Amino acid sequence: MESYLISKLILREIQWECTLPITRITDPIIGERNFHIFYQLLLGADLQLLKSLKLYRNVEKYELLRNTTAMEEDRMNFHYTKRSLDVLGLSCEESNSIFRVIAVVLKLGNFIFVPITNIDGTEGCQVSNVYEVQETAQLLNMEAQILINCLTRANSSNSAQEDVGCEMDARQAATNRNTLCRTLYSRLFTWLVNKINESLKSTQREKNLALLDFYGFEVLDHNSFEQFAINYSAEKIHQNFVFHVLRSEQELYIREGLEWSRIDYFDNESICELIDKPSYGILSLINEPHLNSNDALLLRVQQCCAGHPNFMTTGSNSMCFQIRHYASVVNYSIHRFLEKNSDMLPKYISAAFYQSKLSLVQSLFPEGNPRRQVTKKPSTLSSNIRTQLQTLLAIVKHRRSHYVFCIKPNEGKQPHQFDMALVQHQVRYMSLMPLVHLCRTGHCYHLLHVKFFHRYKLLNSLTWPHFHGGSQVEGIALIIRNLPLPSAEFTIGTKNVFVRSPRTVYELEQFRRLRISELAVLIQTMFRMYHARKRFQRMRHSQMIISSAWRTWRECRFGIPFTGRRHLWSLYRVAREEYRSLKYKRQVRWAIDIIGRYYRQWKIRQFLLTIPLRLPPNTLSPLSTEWPVAPAFLADASRHLRSIYHRWKCYIYRNSFDQTARNRMREKVTASIIFKDRKASYGRSVGHPFVGDYVRLRHNQQWKKICAETNDQYVVFADIINKIARSSGKFVPILLVLSTSSLLLLDQRTLQIKYRVPASEIYRMSLSPYLDDIAVFHVKASEFGRKKGDFVFQTGHVIEIVTKMFLVIQNATGKPPEIHISTEFEANFGQQTVIFSFKYGGMSDLAQGPPKVTRKANRMEIIV
């Protein structure tokens, strides 16, 4: 039942609450904790989740939770919260995104801004704990420098460069950080409410139960804009209660002509006008554009509100004013009123957070979309509060409302303590005594004549199902007169029927419920009788059809008209013989099925037992495709067995390899993945093993001394290849050595190292799709890459070199390099970019010779 009630929450009523200032995030009240979800997440989440969110269990490590304590029940409440998200239909990805945003709020609160003085004398700031920035950027899936810029530089262009935007001092940066924390939490709350209501929204038209939990009246030692907004909301709700319960109810009694003595009550309409009156209310004065300081605001409020009975000033030098609310007099400090009223997130911060690759964060900052042109000035917090509160009251106006008042027993929030004076004060200002007086002397329930008559007319046999005796008022009088209830409990007005006590309403509903049960039994009785009669009529009609068909068949089959019992006996004998014949045929079919089933089982057993005997001697070779012929009904089973047998043969074949053979097979498989159907010369390399060391360099004593110095002991590939000159395109022989960590080019005679390129510096290898043996190794734009540029090689082992280089780079960097195969691509020759262009010369494969390389300006043409 609880889940059903929660599923019927009204969207706009829930959303309004989060419009009020969420200052608890950054400025919690002394003695109170921050929002519970922070403590639940830190205590209840498992180690894996905390590690992914970059969080620690210790509450004291977070500035937003400093000087507060976590409780043991937070651990269990987190599991309830997480399970509730699953029940409400949120996916695992959405739940994780919610926890990531909460973690971002906690980590943003830990940002420490240290003031610095620039060379030009201006004040700036920087973040001292950079590791927090890095972890927060990882949670947001955005670059850390963008996050630093939007918090330390005003009007940043959301770039990763460090010198973008105007620098802010540490105080301004801390203010933006706190605003960002509040905005993130507030928008996440609103998004979650929208998501829950969207998943629970019903397509069918049905009744909804809405629960509205509202702020209580607040009077603190220091009251600011937050308490002003909360108390204004309480005033509007109290005015709604007074109008719809105390005022409207009594006006209804007078309109209906009932005898009534008016009950006096306190009406706070004048207090609401003091706050939200157009042009001259306090909320309107706060939004006046020419007010640029709190002093000017206080002066303006005193000028416009002076003389109002519920407005008071506290002195010429005091920055405060007082309002006599319906609960008590509250003293408000004007300090930071304008700042809190316009507590809006700057546009450049929204644009920076829109660059996050986390979809939830992008949806929280739609105004940061560069494609979205927003020319409208953002509304202030007070305007939002007034507008949305009016919308809320307009929704509640058309609903049937039930009010639950919470009474605070003592100021210390202690159990078993009852402060009589405090309770009496609350009962008095909530207008509960007039409400009790109204309930005792008035009527608890009323309904229009039409609705009352249609709802309760079934209680009287004269009005059910149709009443033809007169008007509806006369019918209502008949219903009330026939009830075993006192007539004094009912009063018939001009348009409504009034019921005095709740017990009478309950008994009236009980009579209706019993009557509905009686009518239901009556309807069931009539329906069963109707159904039984229809079934009897169908059976009787069927019997007549069967009898008629039987007589027709007998006369057509035997030519004997029905004359008596003797003829029936002869027909019985004929029917018995036919039955015996049919029974014999059925037994024969049964025997055939049994024999056929056993024959199939015998064939299956024979096929499975003779498979090993009918396999050829060389069947263990993976290349063998021979397989015994199977019966037609075993074709599918034979195909599956053949596939399983082939995989087993491949498994035996692979296990026969040693480690060296496995490495070579891995290289061959890698070459197939890279070059198959992409490089024309790949087919020629399939039948040749990858030897690697073609010049036996590993046994050279001079090389052993050199590799010990460069840490290139393990040689993956070594051969004399042609290095293509960059200026003329001529072929220059050179010794190419590929180790597990680098690429080396050596003099083929003296073994002197000319170039040594680490494997991590090579990021791409480019080839043509033709039969040529040319490959270009692209080097990153480091100091070596900018000076020397890319390398161009020509060798008959180009497939082997590229494959081994691919595996070496993948093992060194953890990710594979890019293999680019095209007829035209670019290469970097130091300070110049050259375009390689491959052209097919039209020669046959047998007449294929070395390619012709020509350098023309910034193009190098290769004719294959």
Side-chain angles (χ1 to χ4, degrees):
M1 182 62 181
E2 182 180 358
S3 299
Y4 173 78
L5 294 179
I6 294 176
S7 67
K8 301 302 178 185
L9 295 176
I10 293 179
L11 171 63
R12 281 172 289 184
E13 293 179 4
I14 299 299
Q15 278 187 330
W16 188 87
E17 184 176 359
C18 67
T19 303
L20 293 180
I22 306 184
T23 56
R24 185 191 296 267
I25 294 290
T26 55
D27 301 312
I29 300 175
I30 298 176
E32 293 188 3
R33 301 200 314 168
N34 213 317
F35 289 100
H36 298 309
I37 186 60
F38 296 133
Y39 308 95
Q40 294 178 9
L41 180 60
L42 295 180
L43 266 70
D46 53 21
L47 292 177
Q48 183 178 1
L49 180 57
L50 283 179
K51 185 177 180 180
S52 65
L53 298 178
K54 319 292 184 185
L55 296 177
Y56 303 95
R57 290 230 185 262
N58 191 0
V59 177
E60 291 296 326
K61 287 185 174 293
Y62 303 99
E63 288 296 328
L64 299 182
L65 309 181
R66 190 63 61 90
N67 300 325
T68 61
T69 58
M71 297 180 290
E72 187 61 29
E73 61 185 18
D74 293 328
R75 192 186 313 276
M76 186 62 65
N77 290 339
F78 176 75
H79 298 291
Y80 292 151
T81 302
K82 193 172 182 181
R83 188 173 63 181
S84 300
L85 294 177
D86 298 335
V87 171
L88 290 168
L90 272 74
S91 64
C92 182
E93 181 180 357
E94 291 173 339
S95 300
N96 291 335
S97 299
I98 292 172
F99 296 142
R100 291 183 75 168
V101 174
I102 294 173
V104 167
V105 174
L106 286 174
K107 299 186 79 62
L108 281 173
N110 285 354
F111 283 15
I112 300 175
F113 299 98
V114 179
I116 59 175
T117 303
N118 299 319
I119 298 177
D120 57 356
T122 58
E123 293 292 332
C125 67
Q126 61 183 7
V127 183
S128 62
N129 45 357
V130 181
Y131 65 93
E132 291 280 8
V133 179
Q134 296 288 345
E135 292 180 350
T136 306
Q138 292 177 11
L139 291 174
L140 292 170
N141 285 349
M142 62 186 296
E143 296 187 23
Q145 190 60 45
I146 295 179
L147 181 59
I148 294 176
N149 288 348
C150 72
L151 290 177
T152 60
R153 293 177 174 270
N155 298 322
S156 61
S157 61
N158 306 322
S159 172
Q161 302 178 5
E162 297 184 3
D163 56 351
V164 176
C166 302
E167 287 190 321
M168 295 185 296
D169 56 21
R171 185 187 61 81
Q172 293 173 339
T175 302
N176 282 349
R177 176 202 60 196
N178 294 341
T179 302
L180 180 58
C181 291
R182 294 191 293 267
T183 304
L184 260 178
Y185 190 88
S186 175
R187 295 187 180 184
L188 175 63
F189 182 84
T190 303
W191 177 89
L192 182 59
V193 171
N194 291 337
K195 196 70 178 178
I196 293 174
N197 284 278
E198 181 181 351
S199 61
L200 299 178
K201 186 177 181 180
S202 176
T203 57
Q204 300 178 353
R205 189 173 182 180
E206 55 186 7
K207 294 182 178 180
N208 292 334
L209 175 62
L211 303 177
L212 177 59
D213 184 11
F214 220 86
Y215 291 94
F217 195 85
E218 283 195 0
V219 183
L220 306 179
D221 295 335
H222 178 77
N223 302 288
S224 186
F225 182 77
E226 297 86 355
Q227 286 70 38
F228 177 75
I230 292 172
N231 293 341
Y232 165 64
S233 304
E235 287 282 359
K236 293 295 290 185
I237 292 297
H238 185 73
Q239 183 192 16
N240 181 77
F241 160 72
V242 168
F243 180 80
H244 288 90
V245 177
L246 297 177
R247 181 193 296 179
S248 299
E249 193 75 12
Q250 297 188 73
E251 291 177 354
L252 177 64
Y253 295 161
I254 296 173
R255 286 197 309 269
E256 292 290 326
L258 276 64
E259 295 183 1
W260 181 252
S261 298
R262 188 172 185 84
I263 299 174
D264 295 330
Y265 57 89
F266 173 73
D267 192 352
N268 65 332
E269 184 176 358
S270 61
I271 304 176
C272 295
E273 289 183 354
L274 170 66
I275 300 175
D276 61 6
K277 185 178 180 181
S279 301
Y280 295 101
I282 298 178
L283 291 179
S284 300
L285 297 177
I286 294 175
N287 294 319
E288 289 186 352
H290 63 276
L291 297 177
N292 53 10
S293 66
N294 294 319
D295 296 337
L297 173 62
L298 179 61
L299 180 61
R300 180 64 174 160
V301 170
Q302 291 175 349
Q303 289 175 352
C304 295
C305 300
H308 196 282
N310 296 303
F311 179 82
M312 295 170 289
T313 58
T314 58
S316 58
N317 297 326
S318 176
M319 294 294 294
C320 301
F321 65 92
Q322 293 181 348
I323 296 179
R324 183 181 288 107
H325 288 281
Y326 73 99
S328 63
V329 177
V330 182
N331 187 50
Y332 295 105
S333 174
I334 201 70
H335 180 60
R336 295 184 64 192
F337 249 61
L338 294 178
E339 179 182 347
K340 294 178 180 179
N341 184 45
S342 59
D343 187 20
M344 299 297 173
L345 198 66
K347 178 66 179 298
Y348 61 88
I349 296 183
S350 300
F353 271 70
Y354 188 79
Q355 294 188 27
S356 170
K357 297 179 181 178
L358 198 63
S359 58
L360 174 57
V361 177
Q362 288 187 353
S363 64
L364 296 182
F365 296 92
E367 72 276 8
N369 190 349
R371 299 180 180 178
R372 181 178 178 181
Q373 299 296 332
V374 179
T375 59
K376 184 179 179 181
K377 183 179 179 181
S379 56
T380 60
L381 194 57
S382 59
S383 300
N384 293 337
I385 293 173
R386 179 166 56 180
T387 302
Q388 297 187 14
L389 186 58
Q390 291 174 354
T391 305
L392 170 66
L393 296 179
I395 296 174
V396 175
K397 180 179 179 181
H398 302 286
R399 307 292 176 92
R400 186 176 180 183
S401 302
H402 300 271
Y403 296 88
V404 178
F405 294 93
C406 299
I407 303 295
K408 184 166 60 175
N410 58 79
E411 292 288 356
K413 303 178 183 178
Q414 299 296 326
H416 310 297
Q417 292 186 11
F418 197 80
D419 189 348
M420 182 62 68
L422 177 62
V423 173
Q424 289 179 352
H425 176 65
Q426 294 178 78
V427 170
R428 192 176 298 111
Y429 74 68
M430 288 182 182
S431 302
L432 296 185
M433 295 306 296
L435 178 62
V436 172
H437 192 192
L438 177 66
C439 293
R440 287 182 176 179
T441 58
H443 300 79
C444 72
Y445 180 77
H446 63 84
L447 204 62
L448 293 174
H449 289 169
V450 178
K451 293 183 178 180
F452 186 91
F453 180 76
H454 284 288
R455 183 170 182 81
Y456 299 110
K457 68 177 182 178
L458 50 82
L459 299 179
N460 194 315
S461 58
L462 299 177
T463 57
W464 174 263
H466 301 290
F467 177 63
H468 303 287
S471 63
Q472 286 185 349
V473 177
E474 294 176 355
I476 294 171
L478 284 174
I479 295 171
I480 295 174
R481 195 178 304 121
N482 193 46
L483 291 173
L485 296 172
S487 300
E489 289 289 317
F490 299 92
T491 303
I492 302 177
T494 57
K495 294 182 179 180
N496 291 269
V497 179
F498 295 86
V499 183
R500 187 170 297 278
S501 63
R503 182 176 181 82
T504 303
V505 178
Y506 172 76
E507 292 179 351
L508 193 62
E509 288 295 321
Q510 285 292 103
F511 294 149
R512 184 176 181 273
R513 191 176 297 112
L514 293 175
R515 179 58 176 164
I516 289 176
S517 300
E518 295 175 359
L519 293 176
V521 172
L522 178 61
I523 293 173
Q524 292 175 359
T525 302
M526 299 301 295
F527 176 77
R528 291 193 182 102
M529 182 179 67
Y530 167 78
H531 183 69
R533 180 173 178 81
K534 293 292 290 184
R535 181 172 180 272
F536 168 74
Q537 290 177 350
R538 286 198 304 269
M539 292 175 63
R540 182 180 178 184
H541 180 66
S542 301
Q543 183 270 334
M544 295 172 63
I545 293 177
I546 293 172
S547 300
S548 176
W550 166 255
R551 293 190 186 95
T552 303
W553 176 81
R554 176 181 56 79
E555 293 179 0
C556 294
R557 180 71 181 269
F558 304 104
I560 303 174
F562 179 75
T563 57
R565 293 183 178 179
R566 184 178 298 174
H567 296 284
L568 288 176
W569 178 250
S570 62
L571 292 175
Y572 168 74
R573 289 198 301 270
V574 173
R576 185 174 59 186
E577 291 297 328
E578 289 184 358
Y579 170 74
R580 289 175 179 174
S581 176
L582 292 174
K583 184 178 180 181
Y584 173 75
K585 292 179 180 178
R586 187 165 58 250
Q587 290 175 347
V588 170
R589 286 196 299 270
W590 174 79
I592 292 173
D593 293 339
I594 294 296
I595 295 172
R597 184 163 64 249
Y598 276 93
Y599 175 75
R600 285 193 296 272
Q601 293 177 356
W602 176 79
K603 290 290 290 183
I604 294 172
R605 187 165 55 252
Q606 287 297 110
F607 173 72
L608 295 177
L609 292 177
T610 58
I611 283 179
L613 303 177
R614 291 190 289 166
L615 289 173
N618 62 340
T619 185
L620 287 179
S621 173
L623 300 178
S624 176
T625 59
E626 298 183 10
W627 184 257
V629 180
F633 67 92
L634 289 176
D636 292 339
S638 176
R639 186 175 64 256
H640 289 298
L641 288 173
R642 184 176 182 179
S643 175
I644 295 172
Y645 183 65
H646 177 72
R647 290 199 296 269
W648 178 76
K649 288 191 298 182
C650 295
Y651 171 75
I652 296 298
Y653 179 73
R654 289 195 303 270
N655 284 348
S656 64
F657 290 173
D658 56 3
Q659 188 61 40
T660 304
R662 290 183 181 179
N663 292 339
R664 290 182 178 178
M665 181 59 69
R666 176 173 175 242
E667 293 174 354
K668 283 290 185 179
V669 172
T670 305
S672 175
I673 295 173
I674 297 174
F675 296 107
K676 188 177 182 181
D677 299 329
R678 298 180 67 192
K679 181 73 174 172
S681 60
Y682 168 72
R684 298 186 304 185
S685 67
V686 173
H688 300 282
F690 288 168
V691 177
D693 189 2
Y694 289 93
V695 296
R696 299 180 60 82
L697 185 65
R698 299 189 185 98
H699 305 286
N700 191 303
Q701 296 299 325
Q702 185 179 355
W703 165 254
K704 291 182 179 180
K705 295 180 181 180
I706 295 174
C707 68
E709 298 175 358
T710 60
N711 196 20
D712 295 312
Q713 289 86 351
Y714 187 78
V715 177
V716 179
F717 180 87
D719 191 16
I720 296 175
I721 66 169
N722 292 324
K723 179 176 177 293
I724 299 178
R726 303 174 181 178
S727 59
S728 60
K730 293 182 179 181
F731 292 180
V732 180
I734 198 168
L735 176 59
L736 184 142
V737 179
L738 179 62
S739 70
T740 56
S741 60
S742 62
L743 171 70
L744 297 97
L745 298 178
L746 294 83
D747 187 272
Q748 56 182 339
R749 295 185 181 86
T750 63
L751 295 185
Q752 181 181 358
I753 298 177
K754 294 186 176 182
Y755 303 105
R756 183 181 183 275
V757 183
S760 59
E761 293 293 323
I762 300 174
Y763 69 95
R764 183 193 302 165
M765 290 174 280
S766 300
L767 303 93
S768 76
Y770 301 131
L771 287 169
D772 63 285
D773 297 327
I774 296 176
V776 179
F777 285 35
H778 300 272
V779 183
K780 292 182 179 179
S782 60
E783 182 178 358
F784 177 84
R786 289 193 298 268
K787 183 177 180 181
K788 299 297 182 181
D790 304 334
F791 293 96
V792 186
F793 302 124
Q794 188 273 335
T795 175
H797 305 291
V798 66
I799 300 295
E800 181 178 357
I801 291 177
V802 174
T803 302
K804 290 180 179 291
M805 193 69 207
F806 179 89
L807 294 174
V808 167
I809 296 174
Q810 186 178 19
N811 293 334
T813 63
K815 59 182 180 179
E818 179 183 355
I819 305 298
H820 182 65
I821 298 178
S822 176
T823 59
E824 188 171 297
F825 50 83
E826 294 182 354
N828 178 27
F829 284 177
Q831 302 297 328
Q832 187 178 10
T833 300
V834 178
I835 299 177
F836 276 75
S837 178
F838 290 81
K839 297 182 180 180
Y840 182 63
M843 300 176 66
S844 63
D845 296 344
L846 297 177
Q848 182 72 32
K852 181 180 179 182
V853 181
T854 306
R855 173 72 184 271
K856 296 179 181 180
N858 63 338
R859 295 183 65 88
M860 185 168 282
E861 295 183 354
I862 303 172
I863 300 177
V864 182

